């Protein structure tokens, strides 16, 4: 199933392809201070693919253990995607909020990556995140 969305101001667009209907996924709400403060939850499927368009509009930042990069729109500051380089692939998860207006997403389940050691985090992300491609 293919889905598309944009950040609030429309400068950054994404296309995501998922093996299942997007309404069947449970977004994962990370319980770290950063994500809790922004009520962020993430959606991905290890067999999915994500393309991010106009990615030059994005600015990256790091927080917490600094393993992952958070990409936000430089105009509206929406967080679009979180990524990490794993085994020479860019893996990531989208901010579920980008689809909550168009679709009836399931309530988020709480996850706690902050309790994992750095290597455990990478292993976990490698099994749940999807492939990400940044395009201009
Ligand atoms: Zn924007």
């Amino acid at each position: 199933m293919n889905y598309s969305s944009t950040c609030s101001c429309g400068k950054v667009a994404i296309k995501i392809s998922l093996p299942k209907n997007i309404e069947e996924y449970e977004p994962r709400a990370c319980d770290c201070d950063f994500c809790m403060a922004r009520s962020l939850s993430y959606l991905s499927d290890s067999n999915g693919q994500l393309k991010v368009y106009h990615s030059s509009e994005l600015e990256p930042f790091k927080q917490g253990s600094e393993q992952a990069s958070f990409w936000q729109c430089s105009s509206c500051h929406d967080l679009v995607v979180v990524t990490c380089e794993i085994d020479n692939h860019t893996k990531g998860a989208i901010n579920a909020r980008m689809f909550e207006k168009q679709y009836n997403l399931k309530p988020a389940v709480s996850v706690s990556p902050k309790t994992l050691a750095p290597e455990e985090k990478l292993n976990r992300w490698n099994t749940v995140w999807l492939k990400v491609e940044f395009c201009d």
Side-chain angles (χ1 to χ4, degrees):
M1 310 278 285
N2 296 311
Y3 302 93
S4 54
S5 186
T6 66
C7 63
S8 300
C9 76
K11 285 197 170 165
V12 179
I14 64 169
K15 282 189 180 171
I16 187 169
S17 120
L18 296 168
K20 294 190 288 185
N21 185 313
I22 198 166
E23 297 185 347
E24 291 180 43
Y25 291 90
E26 281 180 327
R28 298 178 306 275
C30 171
D31 71 347
C32 81
D33 294 341
F34 171 85
C35 292
M36 295 276 280
R38 292 161 181 78
S39 320
L40 290 171
S41 64
Y42 302 95
L43 197 150
S44 64
D45 185 303
S46 60
N47 293 313
Q49 276 201 326
L50 173 70
K51 283 191 176 182
V52 183
Y53 297 90
H54 313 294
S55 56
S56 55
E57 302 288 342
L58 288 174
E59 53 191 20
F61 61 97
K62 302 229 173 189
Q63 58 90 26
S65 66
E66 305 207 332
Q67 286 176 283
S69 299
F70 294 79
W71 299 87
Q72 69 178 8
C73 171
S74 55
S75 299
C76 68
H77 304 293
D78 274 3
L79 184 94
V80 175
V81 61
V82 56
T83 65
C84 186
E85 297 298 314
I86 306 173
D87 297 336
N88 296 318
H89 292 293
T90 304
K91 296 293 234 16
I94 56 155
N95 178 1
R97 188 173 294 162
M98 298 190 77
F99 289 98
E100 74 182 9
K101 283 198 189 108
Q102 308 97 301
Y103 298 99
N104 194 13
L105 298 182
K106 287 191 174 181
V109 290
S110 183
V111 293
S112 196
K114 68 184 181 191
T115 59
L116 299 175
E119 234 181 75
E120 292 175 315
K121 261 192 229 179
L122 287 183
N123 287 337
R124 159 117 184 121
W125 292 340
N126 204 19
T127 57
V128 295
W129 283 6
L130 43 68
K131 269 192 192 159
V132 182
E133 197 181 326
F134 287 101
C135 318
D136 266 324

